[in-house]
Amino acid sequence: MSALQPSSFSVLRARGIAKTYPSGDRTLAVLTGVDFALAAGETVSVRGESGSGKSTLLNILAGLDRPDRGELFWGTEAAHDLSLGELTARRSRFLGMVFQSYYLIPELDAFANVLLGARMLGGVGAAERARATALLRRVGLAERGHHLPAQLSGGERQRVAVARALMNRPAVILADEPTGNLDERTGDEVIGLLLEVCAEEKAALVLVTHNPAHAKKTSRQLVLKNGQMGYG
Amino acid sequence: MPWPIYLAFKQLFPSGRRVPFFTLISVLGVALGVALMLVTMSVMGGFGHQIKKMIIDTQGEVQVRARVLLDQPAAATVEKALAASPAVEAYAPYATGMVMLEYQSRPAFPAVQGFNYEQMKKVVPLGQYLTAGSLDNLDDDSVILSSVLASTLGVRMGDTVSLYSPLALERAKRNELLLPREVLVAGIFHVGHQQLDSSTVLCSLRLMQDLYGLEQRVHGYNVRLKPGADEHAAAAALNQNLPAGTRALTWFEANADFQAVLSFERNMIFFLLTFIIVVAAFSITSSLLVTVVRKTREIGLLGAMGGRARHVAACFCVQGLFIGLAGTALGLALGFALLHFRDDLVGFIARMTMGREAFVKFYQFSALPAHTAPKDVALIIIFSVLASTIAGLIPAWRAARLQPVEALRSE
């Protein structure tokens, strides 16, 4: 399977993705025809210089942003034909996201933050509570469930964010520089944990990172350069 | 619980943390507005209620008034109509006017109400307002004075006062001298309304008819209705059977101008006080707008997690609603507490400022009345909750317009 040759068995596929941004009186072409495919359970890293369009690509793959042209498939569904509202409705079931700045809700404790994804899907019962508890235990925070984000360290907050992303059993996890705010050792621990739990949950992972060591831990390493995707 | 409501509640009252300052300020703003509205409307209602009670206690629920005077045949027709009415429990004729009262060379010009005591005691409970003497002692040579009139003139029970009737002027034109009527003070009454207490004389109907030369004629009838009878329906039914030149008026109609002023004052005060809640609502809007700006990236996260724009909007709308509900509940509690301790508070304020006597003289009541109408409470609740919810709409609209990708990128 190749990033440049999308497969019909891919859980996430993008073909010919292009995106430009206005920059003063010019137009800046950030992505100029990116092809990308991700198999179920696969882990892929995307590296690139600052401003190379990694986060833009991730936002487009997540359905948060629209490409100027190109096609996007979530499983077999043509996501490029869906409105932003329809994408929003499907996103919570299809994918989970992990951000550099964690983005935990400060008023909710760790357990409630993890549970929020399930709550947004419509209901929280015993099964959802049990899963949130299990996920917190899995990321090593079984005893910290009732701590607010402000009472957690950066690494712990990112672990909560990982658990939250996995709560709804998504097919894909998109992680946008998840170690950017962490020290090297904590970052290594978080990446190790992220890869392990994704494997356990059979979730595919797209990891955007600057760190070559972290990138090497994924099954495929891609590089975004001059608006095009290539092998690292 | 739907997640927008859950999140709204958590943002206002986070578990394990102090209630955010903005929530407190917003809730307090609404609460103070609600409390002030409740207290003011209740006190205004209390004045109205007190006035109604005093009017009914001194006039009856219905008055039959003659355009000029009722002579005996006309009075008999009126009495026949009153006796035939199923709503009427009792009635009593009255005559009224002004006299000059003199005691030890000190004059006063009170209003005089003459009535037949045996009939009148079935209509109005005047006896309960007597502070000295008894209505049983009232005869054609005695009067009962209002408390302030008596104290102003220095009159006490058993003293004799002189009554000068306007009839003396008529006689003087004919070069006749009409001597003043010397009467005994048989009692003193205090209703609690400064206007009535300051300058009123009660006497027998015969004495009043003598003073004004009315012979057997009367000005009208005070009417007591049976319990539960509707005064408007009873007055309307009586008017069908009364002779020409007479009309039955409810206590409200008989004092329509005064009631209209009270009602106008009440409505104006309600209107003006609504601005306090409007200002509190602006404070909610401004606080929630700050929250939207502060939480821009969290709003983006909610979108990234699958939260729809209308749910994000609902989250902020519900915050306005929660603030409105909490503020209204707190305001009602505060308002009812203030009403409960109103006399202590007013006494304290009166002592600190003008003094209690000046307060009674100026406001005409010896105690601050209060009557809370359920309709007023419902109106205050609806208005404050509605204003607070609407206050959340602008921040909600702004939050809903944020695109997740832009919100997540914001610094």
Side-chain angles (χ1 to χ4, degrees), chain A residues 54-155:
Chain A
K54 303 184 297 294
S55 295
T56 300
L57 176 64
L58 215 63
N59 287 334
I60 289 171
L61 294 178
L64 293 173
D65 206 353
R66 287 275 190 205
D68 295 340
R69 63 168 195 276
E71 293 177 337
L72 174 69
F73 292 89
W74 283 359
T76 55
E77 188 163 32
H80 54 271
D81 286 339
L82 300 176
S83 68
L84 280 176
E86 289 168 328
L87 286 170
T88 301
R90 286 161 175 73
R91 189 181 303 122
S92 52
R93 287 182 192 280
F94 179 69
L95 57 85
M97 296 188 77
V98 181
F99 302 94
Q100 178 178 343
S101 299
Y102 330 125
Y103 296 151
L104 300 181
I105 306 289
E107 292 84 5
L108 302 182
D109 61 26
F111 181 74
N113 262 292
V114 174
L115 210 51
L116 185 61
R119 203 178 281 284
M120 291 172 78
L121 275 183
V124 171
E128 286 77 16
R129 289 179 192 282
R131 175 156 174 80
T133 305
L135 281 168
L136 272 178
R137 189 182 306 119
R138 179 62 191 88
V139 298
L141 296 172
E143 307 300 319
R144 311 294 300 264
H146 294 294
H147 287 221
L148 292 169
Q151 298 166 316
L152 301 174
S153 68

Side-chain angles (χ1 to χ4, degrees), chain B residues 69 165 167 171 178 206-217:
Chain B
L69 280 164
S165 141
L167 210 56
R171 297 286 171 88
L178 184 65
R206 266 198 299 273
L207 175 57
M208 184 61 200
Q209 285 169 333
D210 283 352
L211 287 170
Y212 266 67
L214 298 177
E215 298 171 350
Q216 297 295 310
R217 292 173 297 177

